[in-house]
Amino acid sequence: MAAVIVYGIENCDQVRKARAWLGARGQAFDFHDFRKHGLERSTLQAWLRHVPWDAVLNKRGLSWRQLDEARRLTITDQQAATDLMLENPTLIKRPILVHGDDVLVGFSDLVYDKHFQNPSPA
């Protein structure tokens, strides 16, 4: 079975919930705090091959609201969104869970239950 990697930041409530959910079910995982360890362009691009950029970019959080409006208006495509998320990884919706070829954005008990009952082959 492929390794599970949870990407996020340590103090995010949704990341904490995902990590607790995995731990309670004995699911081994690695945690990558992109505030502490950064984020490679290639990693972000790999996610975006599986999920749309506008699902990964968190436009509901404080980091988005703190951007000036002119900058927000320039984020109209994947390239602009990728550059922005690499500049400020806290703009990424959290957590991002990578398991084999699957990329799950955000945390949901139901989605995690379904995924780990029937994960895609690695």
Side-chain angles (χ1 to χ4, degrees):
M1 183 62 44
V4 174
I5 304 173
V6 176
Y7 293 86
I9 58 176
E10 190 81 37
N11 64 346
C12 173
D13 287 339
Q14 295 301 307
V15 170
R16 285 186 191 137
K17 288 178 185 177
R19 292 171 71 187
W21 188 99
L22 292 164
R25 286 153 183 84
Q27 175 64 55
F29 66 93
D30 291 323
F31 176 62
H32 181 98
D33 185 327
F34 44 64
R35 183 178 276 162
K36 292 178 183 175
H37 303 110
L39 183 64
E40 297 291 325
R41 179 175 294 274
S42 60
T43 300
L44 180 55
Q45 289 172 332
W47 299 345
L48 297 177
R49 283 192 290 276
H50 298 278
V51 293
W53 66 267
D54 53 355
V56 177
L57 179 62
N58 183 4
K59 292 185 175 183
R60 298 173 79 186
L62 181 61
S63 294
W64 177 259
R65 291 191 304 270
Q66 288 178 335
L67 290 175
D68 64 65
E69 185 175 352
R71 181 68 192 273
R72 288 193 306 255
L73 291 173
T74 67
I75 309 305
T76 58
D77 61 20
Q78 183 168 315
Q79 182 62 49
T82 297
D83 292 343
L84 179 65
M85 289 185 279
L86 289 170
E87 286 172 33
N88 187 352
T90 60
L91 286 164
I92 296 170
K93 187 170 183 175
R94 301 175 300 266
I96 302 288
L97 182 141
V98 177
H99 184 210
D101 289 333
D102 294 326
V103 178
L104 306 179
V105 179
F107 173 73
S108 162
D109 282 311
L110 295 173
V111 171
Y112 276 39
D113 280 337
K114 182 178 178 183
H115 173 76
F116 284 98
Q117 287 175 4
N118 301 300
S120 297

